Structures are given as structure tokens and as C-alpha cells.
Amino acid sequence: MKKTLLTTGLVGMLLVGATAPAIAISDSASTPLPGTGAKVEANAWQCNAYVDKCSFKTSTKAKKGSSKYKVSKITNTATVKANGWQATLSLSPSGTKVSESTRRVSWTNKNTWISDISGIADPGGALNTSVTTCSDGGAFKSGVKAFASACAND
């Protein structure tokens, strides 16, 4: 599992009072798809700093080396959680309510190499401190399957 902090923009722009750079946190993990030489990769990205709302994106990809690998069925489930005391969460797309602070959205594609989800998290509640975005994915081909999971949190 690898975690990456991505930033764009120039430090000099910050020194002269320009708009703050876009910041994102990401995580990815992969698992071999047995007997195919391919792997299933789960990816999760989310904003690192936010004032009101936080964007997120998750994906599941099937790859053989660096190339796309077509599978029979590929699924991705995004689970977004607001962390903190009495935290609440609204999500767009709305998804399934797991708890007051957690929502889940799923997507399945057939005969392709990717399934992805993106949206906006709107955390609230007293002492809300952070957001966590997890990506759980699976791929199926010729009677074999594999699953991978990744979580990004600030």
C-alpha cells in the first residue's frame, strides 16, 4: 500500500498571496488476478484541506503491466467517512447511509478495465476533524477474482 501527498502550484505564489494550491491525499493497493498475469488496483483520492466541502475520487482498475486489462466485471465501492466527535456527512452522489458519519457508493462495469466514482463530501458536526475515503474493488474474469482496498485520510 502506498500513500502519496500530491500538491500543485508554486511556493512563490503563496508568498505573494495568490490562491492556495490544490492539495490531495491518495492511496493505492493492488492484488494479482490469478492465472492472468494481471492485477487489480484500488485507488482513493481526496482533498487534504477544506473549508466547507471535500472532493473525493475512487477507482478500481485491471492492468497487465502498465496496459489496461479487460475483465468480465469490475466493481468499485467508495466509502467516505467524516471523523470527529458527533461528525455527520452528506455526500453527492448520495449513496447508502451506513451511519450519520459514513456513506457508501458502488459502481459496477462489465467488459472493461475500470470502474470509478467521484463526488463531494460535506462533513459537519461538532469537532469534525477529518475525512477518510476508502476504495474497495474487485475484478472477475474466466472464473477467477481478486479484490483490493485503499484508504486516503488527512
Side-chain angles (χ1 to χ4, degrees), residues 132-143:
T132 300
T133 301
C134 293
S135 175
D136 294 298
F140 309 88
K141 181 166 183 161
S142 302

Side-chain angles (χ1 to χ4, degrees), residues 18-98:
T19 304
I23 300 173
I25 292 179
S26 67
D27 187 29
S28 64
S30 63
T31 304
L33 187 57
T36 65
K39 65 180 180 178
V40 176
E41 178 181 287
N43 301 287
W45 300 268
Q46 73 174 42
C47 67
N48 181 35
Y50 61 91
V51 175
D52 185 33
K53 295 178 174 79
C54 179
S55 60
F56 70 91
K57 182 175 181 179
T58 63
S59 71
T60 303
K61 298 176 181 177
K63 295 172 126 184
K64 192 168 188 174
S66 61
S67 299
K68 301 170 185 176
Y69 185 75
K70 186 176 173 181
V71 293
S72 305
K73 182 177 173 184
I74 190 160
T75 63
N76 181 249
T77 300
T79 303
V80 183
K81 182 177 190 315
N83 305 302
W85 187 67
Q86 293 184 341
T88 61
L89 181 70
S90 296
L91 201 67
S92 176
S94 61
T96 302
K97 181 178 177 179
V98 176

Side-chain angles (χ1 to χ4, degrees), residues 114-140:
I114 189 170
S115 177
D116 57 354
I117 299 165
S118 63
I120 303 293
D122 187 0
L127 302 176
N128 181 38
T129 58
S130 65
V131 173
T132 300
T133 301
C134 293
S135 175
D136 294 298
F140 309 88

